Amino acid sequence: MKGKFIVFEGIDGSGKTTQLKLLGEKLTALGCPVLYTREPGGTRVGELVRELLLNPQHGELVPRAEALLYAAARAQHVEQIILPALKKGTVVLCDRFLDSSLAYQGFGRGLDLSLLEQINRVATAGLVPDQVLLLDFCCDYGVDRISRSGRSADRIEREDREFHRRVRAGYLALAARDPRRYRVIDANRSIARVHCDLIKAVEGVLDALSTGNNRP
Ligand SMILES: Nc1ncnc2c1ncn2[C@@H]1O[C@H](COP(=O)(O)OP(=O)(O)O)[C@@H](O)[C@H]1O
Ligand SMILES: [Mg+2]
């Protein structure tokens, strides 16, 4: 596969969407073909599943059903959007991927990590990101950023601070397991400072793209 798969992770309000757009603009200016996408969603079917998952009216969803719905949307996304784009040599910038399931359904909801990995082996068909950019952010501010932005909190964002603390700690534990693939970025700073760090964090991956040292 010729492209690069770069994933943005972090709790709600950590700046993923903001930073993904800025990095995409930078890469486009450098002449890189870029695809922006997100999870859950990214496909027509996936966006329907997203609506189901994030709608606060569906409070009765049990953690296993939640995990399977995320995985179903992911399977569709990988096959329909991500793999074809990577084959064409595109840099895929994805707002959340597998680690969100491990952090939220695993560390947040308490589902067994190995069970989630098993479900997601099916969902991802073995696809792993070239780089995961973890925007590490103090949970106490995430909710404030969202409410300042003027939109109402979704079903997951409405979870309490303790839940978001577990998710944040989970993300850091996942990053510590594989420091080569993950870059932990301190997201408690200005948009410009975080962007600068992100550019540095993806340098290696992008160098490989331009020298043709690509995915197997
Ligand atoms: N570094 C930052 N400092 C201050 N505000 C920020 C920063 N990054 C993002 N924001 C603002 O916080 C809100 C949430 O950011 P967003 O990129 O949507 O986060 P996420 O996609 O991780 O939920 C937005 O209104 C955004 O403009
Ligand atoms: Mg976002």
Side-chain angles (χ1 to χ4, degrees):
M1 238 169 285
K2 298 179 289 176
K4 291 290 168 193
F5 184 29
I6 299 175
V7 172
F8 288 69
E9 293 282 2
I11 60 165
D12 295 308
S14 58
K16 297 179 297 300
T17 307
T18 306
Q19 294 296 339
L20 184 144
K21 198 164 159 279
L22 286 176
L23 182 62
E25 284 164 4
K26 170 92 183 170
L27 295 180
T28 304
L30 292 172
C32 262
V34 173
L35 175 83
Y36 303 85
T37 190
R38 69 171 179 182
E39 290 207 348
T43 64
R44 194 184 64 81
V45 167
E47 291 293 329
L48 292 171
V49 178
R50 178 187 182 91
E51 157 62 18
L52 207 158
L53 279 164
L54 299 185
N55 189 331
Q57 284 176 351
H58 302 143
E60 76 273 32
L61 262 180
V62 297
R64 275 178 304 135
E66 185 180 274
L68 287 165
L69 282 168
Y70 278 111
R74 184 162 300 134
Q76 186 71 27
H77 192 209
V78 165
E79 190 158 335
Q80 192 186 335
I81 303 288
I82 303 177
L83 289 177
L86 290 173
K87 275 195 191 113
K88 278 196 287 184
T90 306
V91 176
V92 177
L93 301 181
C94 190
D95 197 331
R96 298 192 179 282
F97 193 62
L98 166 66
D99 291 291
S100 284
S101 289
L102 302 178
Y104 283 77
Q105 279 71 52
F107 290 89
R109 303 266 190 239
L111 285 184
D112 186 37
L113 280 186
S114 61
L115 174 77
L116 290 165
E117 281 165 346
Q118 213 179 327
I119 294 170
N120 277 285
R121 259 195 297 280
V122 181
T124 61
L127 176 69
V128 283
D130 292 289
Q131 194 85 82
V132 180
L133 303 168
L134 172 55
L135 298 178
D136 181 46
F137 188 60
C138 176
C139 324
D140 296 341
Y141 305 139
V143 182
D144 299 344
R145 269 191 191 170
I146 289 160
S147 55
R148 268 204 308 276
S149 75
R151 69 176 173 84
S152 68
D154 66 36
R155 191 177 62 87
I156 306 285
E157 287 163 354
R158 286 174 194 218
E159 290 292 337
D160 61 21
R161 290 203 170 183
E162 208 33 61
F163 175 86
H164 291 287
R165 282 200 189 101
R166 286 199 300 279
V167 172
R168 181 193 186 187
Y171 269 133
L172 290 171
L174 293 168
R177 275 200 326 199
D178 189 356
R180 199 186 54 83
R181 197 178 301 282
Y182 293 77
R183 292 285 179 277
V184 182
I185 317 273
D186 176 4
N188 303 277
R189 297 169 305 151
S190 72
I191 291 176
R193 290 285 300 278
V194 176
H195 175 62
C196 250
D197 277 6
L198 281 176
I199 301 270
K200 284 189 212 129
V202 296
E203 259 168 12
V205 172
L206 298 177
D207 283 352
L209 187 68
S210 57
T211 57
N213 176 16
N214 282 327
R215 303 176 140 262

